């Protein structure tokens, strides 16, 4: 089968199209014939070696941690899926990923694809959608009527977080640059904030929850935006417990864990027309380097899809 693999850390030139054996599945795995994958910033962060102390990869490795496709084989212990089922998943990032014709995934990381989603849309949802859900719902405990600030509301995680938070009945404030203000409103934000137009403190009334997708100064300037007892959840920089205490707030860091439970929750929102990923760019497997470069601009709106078959 075809697989885009890296044999060493480095630039986009390390992404090589190889012909390799179809993966062998374990008894609790399913083999998925890949229809689409998507790009997440973690893909190029792994490629460049930023995560090498955190996840010790055995080279060569196939990247791509979103997948939609069709079940082509099931392990002997798997009872929930059968050959021909249309599924999607955020597979374990310590195994080979989905820039390939086939991927082996643990069955408990897989869910049925909603018929309302195309294969491209289904591949846009898992990693960014699970992350948004874990921040807002599992950790942030967002309640109807609360106010939530979502930084980078035009990005992969942010645009899904806006929709999930609206579905939970929250008032949503989201940030983006001038060009993306209208898009934030289209995703459902109650207040679109232009971070290029001065201090956020002057533009935003206090919130119960901040979702930090940027880190650095964006995170440090966010404490002052929280109500007393509010919470800052970051997916990029571990927030300081000391600063949290100073602002009478709570702090948390989320690193995504694969979850078929959350995929099923996302499906429910899709079924109710409350959630739909936005796809701005589509690339083929052969164009993977361009897809990485697009993600590395930091300016992507919604998601970048890799069409595999
Ligand atoms: N911990 C985890 O489990 C986890 C999971 C998923 C992602 N992440 C990390 O979270 C970050 C975001 O991921 P993503 O997939 O959403 O990235 P992305 O899709 O590449 O985000 C791009 C968006 O960021 C916006 N942006 C850039 N600078 C901004 C700023 N200062 N304020 C507001 N918006 C800004 C851009 O909008 P404008 O062009 O309008 O600025 C663009 O739409 C990445 O660093 C990723 O690695 C972590």
């Amino acid at each position: 089968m075809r697989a885009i693999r890296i044999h060493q850390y480095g630039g986009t030139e390390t992404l090589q199209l190889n012909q390799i054996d179809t993966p062998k599945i374990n008894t609790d795995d399913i083999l998925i014939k890949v229809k689409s994958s998507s790009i997440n910033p973690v893909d190029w962060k792994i490629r460049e070696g930023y995560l090498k102390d955190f996840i010790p990869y055995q080279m060569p490795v196939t990247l791509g941690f979103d997948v939609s496709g069709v079940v082509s084989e099931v392990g002997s212990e798997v009872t929930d899926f059968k050959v021909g089922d249309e599924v999607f998943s955020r597979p374990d990032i310590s195994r080979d990923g989905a820039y390939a014709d086939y991927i082996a995934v643990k069955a408990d990381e897989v869910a049925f694809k909603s018929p309302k989603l195309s294969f491209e849309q289904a591949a846009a949802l898992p990693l960014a959608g699970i992350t948004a859900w874990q921040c807002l719902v599992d950790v942030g405990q967002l309640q109807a009527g609360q106010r939530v600030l979502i930084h980078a509301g035009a990005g992969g995680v942010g645009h899904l977080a806006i929709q999930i938070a609206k579905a939970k009945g929250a008032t949503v404030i989201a940030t983006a640059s001038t060009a993306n203000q209208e898009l934030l409103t289209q995703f459902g934000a109650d207040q679109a904030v232009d971070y290029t137009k001065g201090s956020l403190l002057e533009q935003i009334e206090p919130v119960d929850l901040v979702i930090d997708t940027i880190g650095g100064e964006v995170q440090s300037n966010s404490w002052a935006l929280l109500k007393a007892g509010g919470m800052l959840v970051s997916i990029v920089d571990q927030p300081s417990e000391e600063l949290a205490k100073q602002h009478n707030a709570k702090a948390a860091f989320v690193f995504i864990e694969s979850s078929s439970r959350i995929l099923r929750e996302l499906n429910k929102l899709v079924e109710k027309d409350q959630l739909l990923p936005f796809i701005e760019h589509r690339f083929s497997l052969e164009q993977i380097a361009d897809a990485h470069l697009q993600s590395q601009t930091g300016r992507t709106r919604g998601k970048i899809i890799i069409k595999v078959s």
Side-chain angles (χ1 to χ4, degrees), residues 14-46:
T14 60
L15 295 160
Q16 291 179 18
L17 180 59
N18 294 162
Q19 289 291 333
I20 61 169
D21 291 341
T22 303
K24 300 232 176 322
I25 56 168
N26 298 321
T27 52
D28 57 350
D29 281 345
I30 65 176
L31 187 69
I32 300 174
K33 177 158 178 34
V34 180
K35 288 280 190 184
S36 293
S37 184
S38 100
I39 306 286
N40 292 285
V42 73
D43 300 13
W44 51 261
K45 290 180 184 178
I46 292 172

PDB file of all heavy atoms in Angstrom, residues 14-46:
ATOM      1  N   THR A  14      11.363  15.471   4.346  1.00  0.00           N
ATOM      2  CA  THR A  14      11.425  14.150   4.992  1.00  0.00           C
ATOM      3  C   THR A  14      10.155  13.335   4.748  1.00  0.00           C
ATOM      4  O   THR A  14      10.118  12.139   5.064  1.00  0.00           O
ATOM      5  CB  THR A  14      11.639  14.277   6.519  1.00  0.00           C
ATOM      6  OG1 THR A  14      10.544  15.022   7.052  1.00  0.00           O
ATOM      7  CG2 THR A  14      12.938  14.972   6.857  1.00  0.00           C
ATOM      8  N   LEU A  15       9.103  13.954   4.226  1.00  0.00           N
ATOM      9  CA  LEU A  15       7.837  13.241   3.962  1.00  0.00           C
ATOM     10  C   LEU A  15       7.987  12.474   2.654  1.00  0.00           C
ATOM     11  O   LEU A  15       8.038  13.078   1.577  1.00  0.00           O
ATOM     12  CB  LEU A  15       6.682  14.241   3.861  1.00  0.00           C
ATOM     13  CG  LEU A  15       6.343  15.010   5.136  1.00  0.00           C
ATOM     14  CD1 LEU A  15       5.560  16.282   4.808  1.00  0.00           C
ATOM     15  CD2 LEU A  15       5.540  14.123   6.090  1.00  0.00           C
ATOM     16  N   GLN A  16       8.076  11.145   2.741  1.00  0.00           N
ATOM     17  CA  GLN A  16       8.337  10.338   1.537  1.00  0.00           C
ATOM     18  C   GLN A  16       7.183   9.399   1.249  1.00  0.00           C
ATOM     19  O   GLN A  16       6.647   8.778   2.175  1.00  0.00           O
ATOM     20  CB  GLN A  16       9.574   9.475   1.753  1.00  0.00           C
ATOM     21  CG  GLN A  16      10.856  10.264   1.829  1.00  0.00           C
ATOM     22  CD  GLN A  16      12.033   9.326   2.066  1.00  0.00           C
ATOM     23  OE1 GLN A  16      11.942   8.120   1.844  1.00  0.00           O
ATOM     24  NE2 GLN A  16      13.135   9.891   2.527  1.00  0.00           N
ATOM     25  N   LEU A  17       6.836   9.302  -0.028  1.00  0.00           N
ATOM     26  CA  LEU A  17       5.811   8.339  -0.437  1.00  0.00           C
ATOM     27  C   LEU A  17       6.475   6.978  -0.599  1.00  0.00           C
ATOM     28  O   LEU A  17       7.339   6.797  -1.457  1.00  0.00           O
ATOM     29  CB  LEU A  17       5.177   8.801  -1.758  1.00  0.00           C
ATOM     30  CG  LEU A  17       4.085   7.900  -2.325  1.00  0.00           C
ATOM     31  CD1 LEU A  17       2.921   7.731  -1.362  1.00  0.00           C
ATOM     32  CD2 LEU A  17       3.571   8.463  -3.648  1.00  0.00           C
ATOM     33  N   ASN A  18       6.095   6.020   0.242  1.00  0.00           N
ATOM     34  CA  ASN A  18       6.683   4.660   0.217  1.00  0.00           C
ATOM     35  C   ASN A  18       5.617   3.622  -0.121  1.00  0.00           C
ATOM     36  O   ASN A  18       4.435   3.853   0.116  1.00  0.00           O
ATOM     37  CB  ASN A  18       7.252   4.290   1.593  1.00  0.00           C
ATOM     38  CG  ASN A  18       8.438   5.132   2.020  1.00  0.00           C
ATOM     39  OD1 ASN A  18       8.777   5.177   3.189  1.00  0.00           O
ATOM     40  ND2 ASN A  18       9.091   5.830   1.095  1.00  0.00           N
ATOM     41  N   GLN A  19       6.079   2.493  -0.651  1.00  0.00           N
ATOM     42  CA  GLN A  19       5.203   1.324  -0.813  1.00  0.00           C
ATOM     43  C   GLN A  19       5.546   0.363   0.315  1.00  0.00           C
ATOM     44  O   GLN A  19       6.695  -0.088   0.404  1.00  0.00           O
ATOM     45  CB  GLN A  19       5.454   0.646  -2.172  1.00  0.00           C
ATOM     46  CG  GLN A  19       4.953   1.437  -3.374  1.00  0.00           C
ATOM     47  CD  GLN A  19       3.432   1.509  -3.461  1.00  0.00           C
ATOM     48  OE1 GLN A  19       2.743   0.616  -2.972  1.00  0.00           O
ATOM     49  NE2 GLN A  19       2.925   2.566  -4.073  1.00  0.00           N
ATOM     50  N   ILE A  20       4.593   0.079   1.176  1.00  0.00           N
ATOM     51  CA  ILE A  20       4.872  -0.807   2.327  1.00  0.00           C
ATOM     52  C   ILE A  20       3.755  -1.846   2.462  1.00  0.00           C
ATOM     53  O   ILE A  20       2.713  -1.733   1.802  1.00  0.00           O
ATOM     54  CB  ILE A  20       5.014  -0.007   3.651  1.00  0.00           C
ATOM     55  CG1 ILE A  20       3.711   0.742   3.987  1.00  0.00           C
ATOM     56  CG2 ILE A  20       6.176   0.958   3.582  1.00  0.00           C
ATOM     57  CD1 ILE A  20       3.687   1.318   5.397  1.00  0.00           C
ATOM     58  N   ASP A  21       3.984  -2.827   3.352  1.00  0.00           N
ATOM     59  CA  ASP A  21       2.953  -3.853   3.571  1.00  0.00           C
ATOM     60  C   ASP A  21       1.745  -3.250   4.282  1.00  0.00           C
ATOM     61  O   ASP A  21       1.898  -2.345   5.123  1.00  0.00           O
ATOM     62  CB  ASP A  21       3.509  -4.985   4.452  1.00  0.00           C
ATOM     63  CG  ASP A  21       4.561  -5.792   3.716  1.00  0.00           C
ATOM     64  OD1 ASP A  21       4.589  -5.727   2.464  1.00  0.00           O
ATOM     65  OD2 ASP A  21       5.362  -6.467   4.394  1.00  0.00           O
ATOM     66  N   THR A  22       0.588  -3.777   3.988  1.00  0.00           N
ATOM     67  CA  THR A  22      -0.625  -3.385   4.720  1.00  0.00           C
ATOM     68  C   THR A  22      -0.432  -3.793   6.182  1.00  0.00           C
ATOM     69  O   THR A  22       0.081  -4.882   6.450  1.00  0.00           O
ATOM     70  CB  THR A  22      -1.846  -4.124   4.121  1.00  0.00           C
ATOM     71  OG1 THR A  22      -1.900  -3.804   2.735  1.00  0.00           O
ATOM     72  CG2 THR A  22      -3.141  -3.703   4.791  1.00  0.00           C
ATOM     73  N   PRO A  23      -0.835  -2.905   7.156  1.00  0.00           N
ATOM     74  CA  PRO A  23      -0.571  -3.258   8.560  1.00  0.00           C
ATOM     75  C   PRO A  23      -1.289  -4.532   8.997  1.00  0.00           C
ATOM     76  O   PRO A  23      -2.397  -4.805   8.544  1.00  0.00           O
ATOM     77  CB  PRO A  23      -1.119  -2.053   9.339  1.00  0.00           C
ATOM     78  CG  PRO A  23      -1.607  -1.071   8.374  1.00  0.00           C
ATOM     79  CD  PRO A  23      -1.472  -1.598   7.004  1.00  0.00           C
ATOM     80  N   LYS A  24      -0.629  -5.286   9.878  1.00  0.00           N
ATOM     81  CA  LYS A  24      -1.250  -6.476  10.481  1.00  0.00           C
ATOM     82  C   LYS A  24      -2.025  -5.995  11.701  1.00  0.00           C
ATOM     83  O   LYS A  24      -1.531  -5.157  12.461  1.00  0.00           O
ATOM     84  CB  LYS A  24      -0.174  -7.462  10.945  1.00  0.00           C
ATOM     85  CG  LYS A  24       0.727  -7.949   9.833  1.00  0.00           C
ATOM     86  CD  LYS A  24       0.802  -9.463   9.809  1.00  0.00           C
ATOM     87  CE  LYS A  24       1.623 -10.013   8.664  1.00  0.00           C
ATOM     88  NZ  LYS A  24       1.504  -9.326   7.391  1.00  0.00           N
ATOM     89  N   ILE A  25      -3.222  -6.523  11.902  1.00  0.00           N
ATOM     90  CA  ILE A  25      -4.021  -6.049  13.031  1.00  0.00           C
ATOM     91  C   ILE A  25      -3.880  -6.954  14.243  1.00  0.00           C
ATOM     92  O   ILE A  25      -3.668  -8.160  14.107  1.00  0.00           O
ATOM     93  CB  ILE A  25      -5.520  -5.891  12.658  1.00  0.00           C
ATOM     94  CG1 ILE A  25      -6.114  -7.196  12.116  1.00  0.00           C
ATOM     95  CG2 ILE A  25      -5.714  -4.748  11.688  1.00  0.00           C
ATOM     96  CD1 ILE A  25      -7.633  -7.151  12.010  1.00  0.00           C
ATOM     97  N   ASN A  26      -4.019  -6.344  15.444  1.00  0.00           N
ATOM     98  CA  ASN A  26      -4.091  -7.097  16.698  1.00  0.00           C
ATOM     99  C   ASN A  26      -5.535  -7.575  16.885  1.00  0.00           C
ATOM    100  O   ASN A  26      -6.448  -7.125  16.167  1.00  0.00           O
ATOM    101  CB  ASN A  26      -3.687  -6.197  17.874  1.00  0.00           C
ATOM    102  CG  ASN A  26      -2.256  -5.706  17.745  1.00  0.00           C
ATOM    103  OD1 ASN A  26      -1.374  -6.459  17.318  1.00  0.00           O
ATOM    104  ND2 ASN A  26      -2.033  -4.441  18.077  1.00  0.00           N
ATOM    105  N   THR A  27      -5.733  -8.416  17.885  1.00  0.00           N
ATOM    106  CA  THR A  27      -7.082  -8.999  18.074  1.00  0.00           C
ATOM    107  C   THR A  27      -8.129  -7.933  18.422  1.00  0.00           C
ATOM    108  O   THR A  27      -9.313  -8.127  18.174  1.00  0.00           O
ATOM    109  CB  THR A  27      -7.051 -10.068  19.186  1.00  0.00           C
ATOM    110  OG1 THR A  27      -6.447  -9.485  20.347  1.00  0.00           O
ATOM    111  CG2 THR A  27      -6.263 -11.290  18.750  1.00  0.00           C
ATOM    112  N   ASP A  28      -7.685  -6.797  19.025  1.00  0.00           N
ATOM    113  CA  ASP A  28      -8.657  -5.746  19.377  1.00  0.00           C
ATOM    114  C   ASP A  28      -8.631  -4.571  18.390  1.00  0.00           C
ATOM    115  O   ASP A  28      -9.149  -3.501  18.672  1.00  0.00           O
ATOM    116  CB  ASP A  28      -8.408  -5.246  20.808  1.00  0.00           C
ATOM    117  CG  ASP A  28      -6.986  -4.731  21.020  1.00  0.00           C
ATOM    118  OD1 ASP A  28      -6.131  -4.930  20.124  1.00  0.00           O
ATOM    119  OD2 ASP A  28      -6.729  -4.124  22.076  1.00  0.00           O
ATOM    120  N   ASP A  29      -8.022  -4.775  17.237  1.00  0.00           N
ATOM    121  CA  ASP A  29      -7.926  -3.718  16.209  1.00  0.00           C
ATOM    122  C   ASP A  29      -8.962  -3.917  15.119  1.00  0.00           C
ATOM    123  O   ASP A  29      -9.483  -5.014  14.923  1.00  0.00           O
ATOM    124  CB  ASP A  29      -6.568  -3.800  15.485  1.00  0.00           C
ATOM    125  CG  ASP A  29      -5.424  -3.193  16.267  1.00  0.00           C
ATOM    126  OD1 ASP A  29      -5.665  -2.455  17.239  1.00  0.00           O
ATOM    127  OD2 ASP A  29      -4.268  -3.475  15.872  1.00  0.00           O
ATOM    128  N   ILE A  30      -9.177  -2.831  14.349  1.00  0.00           N
ATOM    129  CA  ILE A  30      -9.817  -2.981  13.047  1.00  0.00           C
ATOM    130  C   ILE A  30      -8.887  -2.362  12.006  1.00  0.00           C
ATOM    131  O   ILE A  30      -8.097  -1.458  12.313  1.00  0.00           O
ATOM    132  CB  ILE A  30     -11.224  -2.348  12.976  1.00  0.00           C
ATOM    133  CG1 ILE A  30     -11.175  -0.831  13.149  1.00  0.00           C
ATOM    134  CG2 ILE A  30     -12.166  -2.966  13.979  1.00  0.00           C
ATOM    135  CD1 ILE A  30     -12.528  -0.198  12.988  1.00  0.00           C
ATOM    136  N   LEU A  31      -8.967  -2.884  10.793  1.00  0.00           N
ATOM    137  CA  LEU A  31      -8.210  -2.311   9.686  1.00  0.00           C
ATOM    138  C   LEU A  31      -9.175  -1.432   8.893  1.00  0.00           C
ATOM    139  O   LEU A  31     -10.255  -1.888   8.498  1.00  0.00           O
ATOM    140  CB  LEU A  31      -7.652  -3.424   8.799  1.00  0.00           C
ATOM    141  CG  LEU A  31      -6.692  -2.955   7.699  1.00  0.00           C
ATOM    142  CD1 LEU A  31      -5.378  -2.450   8.291  1.00  0.00           C
ATOM    143  CD2 LEU A  31      -6.405  -4.097   6.710  1.00  0.00           C
ATOM    144  N   ILE A  32      -8.789  -0.166   8.711  1.00  0.00           N
ATOM    145  CA  ILE A  32      -9.647   0.778   7.984  1.00  0.00           C
ATOM    146  C   ILE A  32      -9.017   1.071   6.632  1.00  0.00           C
ATOM    147  O   ILE A  32      -7.824   1.413   6.563  1.00  0.00           O
ATOM    148  CB  ILE A  32      -9.813   2.100   8.775  1.00  0.00           C
ATOM    149  CG1 ILE A  32     -10.440   1.842  10.144  1.00  0.00           C
ATOM    150  CG2 ILE A  32     -10.653   3.103   7.981  1.00  0.00           C
ATOM    151  CD1 ILE A  32     -10.500   3.081  11.045  1.00  0.00           C
ATOM    152  N   LYS A  33      -9.817   0.949   5.569  1.00  0.00           N
ATOM    153  CA  LYS A  33      -9.372   1.442   4.254  1.00  0.00           C
ATOM    154  C   LYS A  33      -9.624   2.937   4.273  1.00  0.00           C
ATOM    155  O   LYS A  33     -10.759   3.385   4.395  1.00  0.00           O
ATOM    156  CB  LYS A  33     -10.140   0.763   3.120  1.00  0.00           C
ATOM    157  CG  LYS A  33      -9.764   1.309   1.759  1.00  0.00           C
ATOM    158  CD  LYS A  33     -10.080   0.360   0.625  1.00  0.00           C
ATOM    159  CE  LYS A  33      -9.742   0.950  -0.747  1.00  0.00           C
ATOM    160  NZ  LYS A  33      -8.586   1.844  -0.822  1.00  0.00           N
ATOM    161  N   VAL A  34      -8.555   3.721   4.195  1.00  0.00           N
ATOM    162  CA  VAL A  34      -8.646   5.158   4.438  1.00  0.00           C
ATOM    163  C   VAL A  34      -9.286   5.867   3.245  1.00  0.00           C
ATOM    164  O   VAL A  34      -8.872   5.675   2.100  1.00  0.00           O
ATOM    165  CB  VAL A  34      -7.240   5.756   4.706  1.00  0.00           C
ATOM    166  CG1 VAL A  34      -7.337   7.255   4.971  1.00  0.00           C
ATOM    167  CG2 VAL A  34      -6.552   5.030   5.864  1.00  0.00           C
ATOM    168  N   LYS A  35     -10.297   6.687   3.552  1.00  0.00           N
ATOM    169  CA  LYS A  35     -10.874   7.586   2.539  1.00  0.00           C
ATOM    170  C   LYS A  35     -10.222   8.963   2.661  1.00  0.00           C
ATOM    171  O   LYS A  35      -9.791   9.544   1.678  1.00  0.00           O
ATOM    172  CB  LYS A  35     -12.387   7.719   2.748  1.00  0.00           C
ATOM    173  CG  LYS A  35     -13.169   6.482   2.368  1.00  0.00           C
ATOM    174  CD  LYS A  35     -13.352   6.449   0.878  1.00  0.00           C
ATOM    175  CE  LYS A  35     -14.337   5.381   0.448  1.00  0.00           C
ATOM    176  NZ  LYS A  35     -14.433   5.302  -1.010  1.00  0.00           N
ATOM    177  N   SER A  36     -10.205   9.503   3.885  1.00  0.00           N
ATOM    178  CA  SER A  36      -9.597  10.829   4.107  1.00  0.00           C
ATOM    179  C   SER A  36      -8.860  10.856   5.435  1.00  0.00           C
ATOM    180  O   SER A  36      -9.206  10.123   6.362  1.00  0.00           O
ATOM    181  CB  SER A  36     -10.672  11.925   4.133  1.00  0.00           C
ATOM    182  OG  SER A  36     -11.261  12.086   2.873  1.00  0.00           O
ATOM    183  N   SER A  37      -7.869  11.741   5.485  1.00  0.00           N
ATOM    184  CA  SER A  37      -7.223  12.077   6.746  1.00  0.00           C
ATOM    185  C   SER A  37      -7.262  13.602   6.852  1.00  0.00           C
ATOM    186  O   SER A  37      -7.848  14.264   5.987  1.00  0.00           O
ATOM    187  CB  SER A  37      -5.782  11.551   6.770  1.00  0.00           C
ATOM    188  OG  SER A  37      -5.190  11.793   8.022  1.00  0.00           O
ATOM    189  N   SER A  38      -6.703  14.160   7.914  1.00  0.00           N
ATOM    190  CA  SER A  38      -6.614  15.622   7.963  1.00  0.00           C
ATOM    191  C   SER A  38      -5.279  16.007   8.581  1.00  0.00           C
ATOM    192  O   SER A  38      -4.598  15.174   9.173  1.00  0.00           O
ATOM    193  CB  SER A  38      -7.794  16.219   8.738  1.00  0.00           C
ATOM    194  OG  SER A  38      -7.435  16.543  10.055  1.00  0.00           O
ATOM    195  N   ILE A  39      -4.930  17.268   8.394  1.00  0.00           N
ATOM    196  CA  ILE A  39      -3.684  17.776   8.989  1.00  0.00           C
ATOM    197  C   ILE A  39      -4.018  18.459  10.303  1.00  0.00           C
ATOM    198  O   ILE A  39      -4.991  19.213  10.389  1.00  0.00           O
ATOM    199  CB  ILE A  39      -3.020  18.823   8.062  1.00  0.00           C
ATOM    200  CG1 ILE A  39      -2.802  18.277   6.658  1.00  0.00           C
ATOM    201  CG2 ILE A  39      -1.718  19.345   8.680  1.00  0.00           C
ATOM    202  CD1 ILE A  39      -1.683  17.288   6.518  1.00  0.00           C
ATOM    203  N   ASN A  40      -3.225  18.174  11.315  1.00  0.00           N
ATOM    204  CA  ASN A  40      -3.271  18.916  12.571  1.00  0.00           C
ATOM    205  C   ASN A  40      -1.864  19.444  12.826  1.00  0.00           C
ATOM    206  O   ASN A  40      -0.881  18.802  12.395  1.00  0.00           O
ATOM    207  CB  ASN A  40      -3.695  17.994  13.714  1.00  0.00           C
ATOM    208  CG  ASN A  40      -5.146  17.567  13.561  1.00  0.00           C
ATOM    209  OD1 ASN A  40      -6.068  18.347  13.821  1.00  0.00           O
ATOM    210  ND2 ASN A  40      -5.367  16.340  13.107  1.00  0.00           N
ATOM    211  N   PRO A  41      -1.734  20.565  13.553  1.00  0.00           N
ATOM    212  CA  PRO A  41      -0.382  21.081  13.805  1.00  0.00           C
ATOM    213  C   PRO A  41       0.548  20.042  14.432  1.00  0.00           C
ATOM    214  O   PRO A  41       1.754  20.079  14.210  1.00  0.00           O
ATOM    215  CB  PRO A  41      -0.626  22.274  14.740  1.00  0.00           C
ATOM    216  CG  PRO A  41      -1.999  22.768  14.353  1.00  0.00           C
ATOM    217  CD  PRO A  41      -2.779  21.525  14.031  1.00  0.00           C
ATOM    218  N   VAL A  42      -0.023  19.065  15.184  1.00  0.00           N
ATOM    219  CA  VAL A  42       0.850  18.053  15.809  1.00  0.00           C
ATOM    220  C   VAL A  42       1.614  17.256  14.743  1.00  0.00           C
ATOM    221  O   VAL A  42       2.722  16.772  15.006  1.00  0.00           O
ATOM    222  CB  VAL A  42       0.029  17.120  16.739  1.00  0.00           C
ATOM    223  CG1 VAL A  42      -0.843  16.146  15.948  1.00  0.00           C
ATOM    224  CG2 VAL A  42       0.930  16.360  17.698  1.00  0.00           C
ATOM    225  N   ASP A  43       1.067  17.147  13.526  1.00  0.00           N
ATOM    226  CA  ASP A  43       1.736  16.373  12.476  1.00  0.00           C
ATOM    227  C   ASP A  43       3.110  16.977  12.166  1.00  0.00           C
ATOM    228  O   ASP A  43       4.119  16.272  12.121  1.00  0.00           O
ATOM    229  CB  ASP A  43       0.904  16.353  11.180  1.00  0.00           C
ATOM    230  CG  ASP A  43      -0.472  15.738  11.351  1.00  0.00           C
ATOM    231  OD1 ASP A  43      -0.900  15.535  12.504  1.00  0.00           O
ATOM    232  OD2 ASP A  43      -1.139  15.486  10.325  1.00  0.00           O
ATOM    233  N   TRP A  44       3.114  18.304  11.914  1.00  0.00           N
ATOM    234  CA  TRP A  44       4.417  18.899  11.565  1.00  0.00           C
ATOM    235  C   TRP A  44       5.284  19.127  12.803  1.00  0.00           C
ATOM    236  O   TRP A  44       6.509  19.154  12.709  1.00  0.00           O
ATOM    237  CB  TRP A  44       4.277  20.161  10.696  1.00  0.00           C
ATOM    238  CG  TRP A  44       3.348  21.232  11.185  1.00  0.00           C
ATOM    239  CD1 TRP A  44       2.065  21.448  10.784  1.00  0.00           C
ATOM    240  CD2 TRP A  44       3.643  22.276  12.131  1.00  0.00           C
ATOM    241  NE1 TRP A  44       1.532  22.535  11.433  1.00  0.00           N
ATOM    242  CE2 TRP A  44       2.481  23.063  12.254  1.00  0.00           C
ATOM    243  CE3 TRP A  44       4.766  22.622  12.883  1.00  0.00           C
ATOM    244  CZ2 TRP A  44       2.408  24.181  13.111  1.00  0.00           C
ATOM    245  CZ3 TRP A  44       4.701  23.724  13.731  1.00  0.00           C
ATOM    246  CH2 TRP A  44       3.523  24.484  13.822  1.00  0.00           C
ATOM    247  N   LYS A  45       4.633  19.219  13.986  1.00  0.00           N
ATOM    248  CA  LYS A  45       5.439  19.315  15.213  1.00  0.00           C
ATOM    249  C   LYS A  45       6.196  17.991  15.434  1.00  0.00           C
ATOM    250  O   LYS A  45       7.365  17.996  15.806  1.00  0.00           O
ATOM    251  CB  LYS A  45       4.554  19.650  16.419  1.00  0.00           C
ATOM    252  CG  LYS A  45       4.011  21.083  16.357  1.00  0.00           C
ATOM    253  CD  LYS A  45       3.131  21.429  17.550  1.00  0.00           C
ATOM    254  CE  LYS A  45       2.547  22.825  17.391  1.00  0.00           C
ATOM    255  NZ  LYS A  45       1.645  23.187  18.497  1.00  0.00           N
ATOM    256  N   ILE A  46       5.529  16.856  15.177  1.00  0.00           N
ATOM    257  CA  ILE A  46       6.212  15.558  15.281  1.00  0.00           C
ATOM    258  C   ILE A  46       7.310  15.489  14.220  1.00  0.00           C
ATOM    259  O   ILE A  46       8.454  15.125  14.504  1.00  0.00           O
ATOM    260  CB  ILE A  46       5.224  14.382  15.096  1.00  0.00           C
ATOM    261  CG1 ILE A  46       4.248  14.320  16.269  1.00  0.00           C
ATOM    262  CG2 ILE A  46       5.982  13.056  14.940  1.00  0.00           C
ATOM    263  CD1 ILE A  46       3.116  13.326  16.080  1.00  0.00           C
TER     264      ILE A  46
END
